[in-house]
């Protein structure tokens, strides 16, 4: 979501060394027990129309990205200390195709690209933090763990590796740890004691920001291989959305391509064959400085939206699949909040005034959760929070759930539509 800025400036030559050729990630998934088999991330440039994705297409191996040698098992080394030149790894580079093919070699657009070097530098730093944290915690999250422990493990790692410092760097939004039929927007509040079970489907969605430039990426974990087709479907659908995304591509065309892929999968549960459905009222989104949702939505079903993606935009491409109704409703106690953009009248209730000051000072328009407020030493603030929500100063985002007894999965990547190439910033060895 969002707020002010600060930042270490990138070396002037950092972007001049960018590869213009398409980088194909070639390596096998190291966590097949978590995700099952999925299609390869066809690195097309998103020229426009959606292409049919074949479910059984053979995967290409992905090239391992340069790892951060020297990171400790406890995530104690900031990424700035692991990359001495301050040149962070680039994401997956995808050349534009068809009518946009000229962009790859255009000297004018290369010069335009260099004007955005600070943004790209910040995003790559945030992406490296995300990769290192998630690759570490994916080995440590196990059945029997309390979700509060899981959240704090992810968040503490993010704070250390990003050298968290207010609006300069740190956590992008609360860690989502949604189980089973709950698809999104659950993180534990103080006093919650939810324990991961061996038969659970856990969505892990967390963000990292540097100077308000947010990397938003998510994955799903399971410990029972019966869910492999569900994870494969969603991962394949997300990769399809990533492939189709591009300058001038219509958002509705991306949704149609995602839906076609997702619905080509099915899963057997308890002796019954169940179709896998996209959750039609969840979607991806573009991202602005300090603003996790900044206006455009990327559907995961065909909806006829003719709005185009545009040069320079940053998008989170995320898809959700379900064995249930394919539709979510708000359910349960809220934990996610964010201050609404714009100016707001001063609350009349003292507790609301005090809390608004705390939110403005520490989060701005970046999302937050109750645990983050607790961590700042605030107490007895529930009346103030309710007042701010009721008056529209703060937006509440309760958990989003499909029908009970169903299972949902999520995968998500952040990509930047640079003038010359599409860069999938959050791509890694794992997904």
């Amino acid at each position: 979501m969002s707020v002010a800025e600060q930042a270490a400036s990138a070396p002037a030559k950092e972007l001049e060394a960018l590869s213009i050729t398409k980088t194909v990630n070639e390596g096998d998934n190291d966590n097949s027990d978590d995700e099952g088999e999925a299609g390869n991330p066809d690195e097309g440039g998103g020229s426009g129309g959606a292409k049919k994705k074949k479910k059984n297409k053979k995967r290409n191996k992905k090239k391992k990205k340069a790892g951060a040698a020297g990171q400790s098992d406890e995530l104690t080394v900031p990424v700035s200390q692991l990359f001495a030149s301050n040149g962070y790894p680039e994401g997956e580079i995808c050349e534009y195709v068809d009518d946009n093919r000229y962009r790859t070699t255009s000297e004018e657009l290369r010069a335009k690209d260099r004007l955005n070097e600070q943004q790209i530098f910040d995003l790559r730093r945030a992406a490296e933090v995300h990769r290192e944290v998630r690759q570490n915690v994916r080995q440590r999250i196990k059945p029997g763990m309390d979700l509060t422990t899981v959240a704090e493990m992810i968040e503490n790692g993010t704070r250390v590796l990003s050298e968290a410092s207010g609006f300069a760097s740190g956590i992008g939004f609360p860690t989502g740890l949604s189980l089973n039929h709950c698809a999104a927007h659950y993180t534990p509040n103080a006093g919650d004691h939810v324990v991961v079970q061996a038969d659970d489907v856990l969505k892990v969605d967390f963000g990292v920001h540097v100077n308000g430039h947010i990397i938003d990426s998510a994955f799903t974990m399971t410990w029972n291989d019966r869910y492999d087709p569900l994870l494969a479907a969603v991962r394949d659908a997300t990769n399809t959305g990533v492939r189709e995304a591009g300058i001038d591509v219509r958002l509705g065309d991306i949704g149609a391509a995602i839906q076609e892929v997702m619905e080509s999968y099915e899963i057997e549960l308890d002796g019954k064959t169940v179709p896998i459905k996209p959750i039609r009222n969840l979607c991806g989104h573009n991202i602005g400085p300090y603003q996790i949702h900044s206006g455009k939505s990327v559907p995961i079903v065909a909806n006829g939206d003719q709005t185009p993606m545009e040069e320079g935009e940053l998008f989170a491409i995320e898809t959700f699949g379900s064995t249930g109704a394919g539709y979510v409703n708000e359910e349960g106690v809220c934990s996610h909040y964010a201050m609404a953009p714009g100016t707001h009248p001063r609350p009349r209730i003292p507790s609301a005034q005090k809390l608004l000051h705390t939110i403005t000072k520490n989060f701005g328009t970046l999302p937050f959760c109750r645990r983050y407020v607790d961590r700042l030493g605030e107490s007895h603030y529930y009346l103030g929070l309710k007042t701010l929500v009721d008056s529209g100063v703060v937006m509440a985002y309760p958990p989003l759930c499909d029908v009970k007894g169903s299972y949902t999965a999520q995968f998500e990547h952040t990509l930047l539509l640079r003038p010359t190439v599409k860069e999938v910033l959050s791509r890694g060895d794992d997904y």
Side-chain angles (χ1 to χ4, degrees), residues 90-158:
E90 65 181 14
E92 176 190 20
I93 301 298
C94 306
E95 292 181 357
Y96 295 119
V97 298
D98 297 338
D99 291 345
N100 281 321
R101 187 180 297 277
Y102 75 96
R103 290 177 169 274
T104 301
T105 55
S106 168
E107 289 299 331
E108 179 183 353
L109 291 176
R110 288 186 187 186
K112 191 175 184 181
D113 207 12
R114 286 192 288 272
L115 296 176
N116 302 319
E117 62 180 13
Q118 186 63 58
Q119 178 197 22
I120 298 173
F121 180 83
D122 291 345
L123 284 166
R124 287 180 179 171
R125 178 180 163 197
E128 182 60 24
V129 171
H130 199 287
R131 276 190 295 271
E132 292 188 31
V133 171
R134 77 187 190 225
Q135 288 173 5
N136 178 283
V137 301
R138 281 160 66 85
Q139 307 304 317
R140 296 164 63 188
I141 299 173
K142 305 291 182 186
M145 292 184 70
D146 186 285
L147 286 184
T148 299
T149 301
V150 174
E152 291 176 348
M153 179 168 56
I154 292 169
E155 291 160 357
N156 290 337
T158 299

Side-chain angles (χ1 to χ4, degrees), residues 70 201 299:
V201 178

Side-chain angles (χ1 to χ4, degrees), residues 175-238:
T175 302
L177 296 171
S178 304
L179 288 171
N180 303 326
H181 76 292
C182 184
H185 291 177
Y186 175 82
T187 198
N189 288 318
D192 288 356
H193 295 291
V194 179
V195 176
V196 179
Q197 305 297 320
D199 203 42
D200 281 341
V201 178
L202 173 65
K203 279 73 63 184
V204 181
D205 187 354
F206 71 100
V208 184
H209 88 89
V210 174
N211 296 316
H213 300 301
I214 304 170
I215 291 293
D216 181 1
S217 188
F219 56 94
T220 299
M221 296 185 69
T222 64
W223 295 268
N224 185 331
D225 60 11
R226 75 173 185 150
Y227 301 115
D228 285 358
L230 173 61
L231 273 63
V234 181
R235 180 171 172 170
D236 195 357
T238 295

